[in-house]
Amino acid sequence: MNEVVARGSLLLVLLAAALLLTAVAWSRGAEYDEQYTLFLTGGTARPAWPDGIVTAGAVQDLQAGHASASAIARDLRATDVHPPLYFWAIAAWRRLLGDSLFTARLASVLCSIATLGSVAAIARAAALPVLPAVLLTVGCYGFAYTGTIARGFALAQMLSVTGIAVLLAGSTSAGVRHRGWGRSFAGGLLLGAATGANYLAAFVACAVLLHATIAVRPACRVLAIAAGFALWLPIDLWFFLAQRHSRTGQFAQFEALPALLRLARYAAANLFGGLPLYMEGGVRVAIAVALVLLLAGLIVQIVRRWRHIATPDTRRLFAMAAVAPPIGLMLLGLAFDNAPIELRYLAFATPFVALLLAGALTRPAMAMILAVQAVALWGLMTRPETMQPARAAAAEAAALVQEGVVMLPRGNDGVGIVGAFAGEASSSLRLLVIPPDIDAAAIRARAAPSRRVVLVLLGQDETSRATLPVLQAAFTGPCWRVAGQGTHVLAVRRVCDAE
């Protein structure tokens, strides 16, 4: 009877998590990085934007096609720095269920719910409280965010966590015991497949392989894990070796102290979101300090309760998987002299942090953490500070454009800014995409037929930030007057026929 109640309670929690993550996916505006997913699987990875007007509807149409697996592979090797598995999967998903951004996001939601099911299985195998482990995982801002966007993080997370669940299945209170080399091979294969969805899933996989090597295990089972993982390496290398120079300059130069501070900030944000962003001045600082202290307190509590968290073997695995992403990012920074430290990359640690907390926290402490996480998730769904500006900018432009035209920077890749803005705009909105390295006179020439122009001032990458001053300078002459402005746009109107 108790088992039936436990399973029923878990199903209710998973259902509530599915509703929550679906609400997050629905409520948030289009994001820069999601646009490559839509363009690539739509068959036009890097559109060549015309010098003249293109409608938002035409941009949306480019995202609505259906690329083949071979075309996706070819374009990925030529234009991006990601492995193919997620894009192959999302192409099939969109072909079956539709082409909208929300539909693509639902695939990530489904993967996230499967991940939570695997977290429950891991908690049960490790004799940890199941429902707290699941609730603390879905409550992590980083998990909820990466679990609802149209990128490969949720699929990679699902494969990683499920791989560990397979490896831990059949464990007893005396320790972890695999049911033969077949289970070990399957777990390793899932960990390898995770790197086929996102290269950075290798951090967790390497932690598992290291743990298996140093733990007391039959050598054949360790080799089985490694063999399953290694099957994916040729695929990963075939893509990575072709891509390794395609996105140089994406991150700032590596500096140890700033990188460590950024790492600490995003580690806290992974658990508690952007709560300081909602306030100003001293209140913002106070909240930030409080969250840092709260994070430090959680670490202390895990250390204090260390011997009571699962078995020695299992808790070491959780700890290694939790610290692998931040350590891996710092090592990448040192190796390549850049700072690839982002909240979404650290999100791979969240299920393992949640499992450790589920075994370490008292009920009152857990209730307090879940309450803070609930506020953070509310902010994820509702606060503009947590969202990228495409939706707000499109609404402002529509209110000011009248019979005119909208100008926006092409940006670094030609898809992130243009695709997100067009996806949030009316299909009839007329756009002029402004490339880099263009002068003010050429920009004015493109606007010549229009007496009203709305400038979209979105500087979301280095290239677009360099374009914006030129874009604004083009309309500061005597023939142009400011006609209105918003947070992200500036409308100008022509007041004479010749300049």
Side-chain angles (χ1 to χ4, degrees):
M1 184 63 181
N2 289 338
E3 181 66 20
V4 173
V5 172
R7 290 183 180 276
S9 299
L10 176 60
L11 287 175
L12 288 175
V13 168
L14 292 177
L15 176 60
L19 294 174
L20 170 67
L21 295 177
T22 300
V24 172
W26 174 259
S27 61
R28 292 178 62 81
E31 297 201 358
Y32 185 108
D33 282 351
E34 292 178 308
Q35 305 313 304
Y36 185 71
T37 298
L38 302 182
F39 279 111
L40 176 69
T41 58
T44 310
R46 294 282 190 260
W49 301 116
D51 292 344
I53 289 173
V54 60
T55 65
V59 178
Q60 295 163 12
D61 289 342
L62 290 176
Q63 297 181 334
H66 299 289
S68 66
S70 60
I72 290 171
R74 181 191 66 243
D75 288 340
L76 265 179
R77 279 170 49 86
T79 64
D80 205 55
V81 290
H82 292 91
L85 186 58
Y86 168 73
F87 299 104
W88 286 338
I90 203 64
W93 176 271
R94 296 182 75 207
R95 190 182 297 273
L96 288 173
L97 297 177
D99 301 313
S100 72
L101 174 59
F102 178 63
T103 298
R105 287 176 170 179
L106 286 180
S108 294
V109 171
L110 183 62
C111 289
S112 298
I113 298 306
T115 300
L116 293 175
S118 293
V119 168
I122 291 171
R124 189 178 295 111
L128 292 172
V130 173
L131 295 185
V134 173
L135 289 170
L136 287 166
T137 302
V138 74
C140 286
Y141 184 96
F143 179 88
Y145 170 63
T146 58
T148 54
I149 57 174
R151 297 296 282 173
F153 299 104
L155 177 60
Q157 184 86 278
M158 179 191 75
L159 292 168
S160 291
V161 176
T162 303
I164 292 174
V166 169
L167 293 174
L168 292 181
S171 66
T172 68
S173 58
V176 177
R177 298 175 183 172
H178 298 304
R179 294 176 180 174
W181 69 269
R183 186 182 297 280
S184 300
F185 179 82
L189 189 64
L190 287 166
L191 291 168
T195 69
N198 189 292
Y199 292 132
L200 298 185
F203 296 149
V204 171
C206 287
V208 175
L209 289 168
L210 178 61
H211 178 267
T213 301
I214 64 178
V216 180
R217 301 178 184 280
C220 64
R221 292 171 183 169
V222 177
L223 290 174
I225 299 172
F229 177 79
L231 282 182
W232 277 94
L233 290 182
I235 299 174
D236 289 345
L237 287 172
W238 190 67
F239 281 88
F240 178 76
L241 291 177
Q243 299 167 335
R244 65 189 187 279
H245 299 305
S246 64
R247 294 289 293 276
T248 57
Q250 182 179 5
F251 300 107
Q253 189 174 8
F254 182 80
E255 296 181 51
L257 182 58
L260 285 171
L261 293 175
R262 185 179 178 90
L263 198 65
R265 186 167 69 250
Y266 279 134
N270 251 297
L271 266 66
F272 307 123
L275 298 180
L277 299 177
Y278 313 151
M279 303 298 175
E280 298 293 336
V283 177
R284 172 182 288 195
V285 174
I287 293 176
V289 170
L291 292 180
V292 169
L293 293 175
L294 180 58
L295 178 62
L298 293 178
I299 295 172
V300 169
Q301 182 65 9
I302 289 173
V303 173
R304 287 183 59 208
R305 294 281 301 170
W306 180 249
R307 294 182 179 277
H308 303 279
I309 302 173
T311 62
D313 196 33
T314 306
R315 61 177 174 254
R316 281 195 297 268
L317 173 59
F318 295 162
M320 291 172 69
V323 301
I327 292 175
L329 290 175
M330 289 296 290
L331 292 176
L332 279 182
L334 286 169
F336 295 101
D337 193 27
N338 58 29
I341 299 171
E342 302 285 350
L343 181 144
R344 52 194 176 168
Y345 303 155
L346 292 170
F348 286 115
T350 52
F352 311 105
V353 173
L355 285 161
L356 290 170
L357 290 175
L361 296 181
T362 62
R363 286 189 177 183
M366 194 171 301
M368 180 187 68
I369 297 303
L370 290 173
V372 174
Q373 289 183 326
V375 175
L377 294 183
W378 168 80
L380 181 65
M381 286 188 286
T382 62
R383 297 291 301 197
E385 296 91 342
T386 70
M387 301 186 197
Q388 294 187 15
R391 177 173 291 178
E396 291 175 350
L400 292 171
V401 68
Q402 297 180 9
E403 299 300 319
V405 67
V406 173
M407 281 190 172
L408 68 161
R410 174 190 178 277
N412 174 268
D413 60 5
V415 300
I417 293 175
V418 180
F421 182 89
E424 296 289 353
S426 165
S427 60
S428 61
L429 191 67
R430 301 189 306 155
L431 309 177
L432 283 169
V433 180
I434 305 303
D437 304 321
I438 186 173
D439 60 30
I443 292 174
R444 285 194 300 272
R446 294 192 179 192
S450 301
R451 301 194 66 84
R452 189 178 184 92
V453 180
V454 175
L455 311 179
V456 179
L457 306 178
L458 296 182
Q460 293 183 263
D461 54 39
E462 186 175 351
T463 303
S464 58
R465 286 190 289 271
T467 304
L468 294 185
V470 183
L471 189 62
Q472 292 176 278
F475 300 97
T476 57
C479 283
W480 295 92
R481 296 287 185 273
V482 173
Q485 63 185 74
T487 304
H488 307 288
V489 303
L490 175 68
V492 295
R493 61 184 177 86
R494 190 193 299 271
V495 295
C496 55
D497 293 330
E499 298 187 43

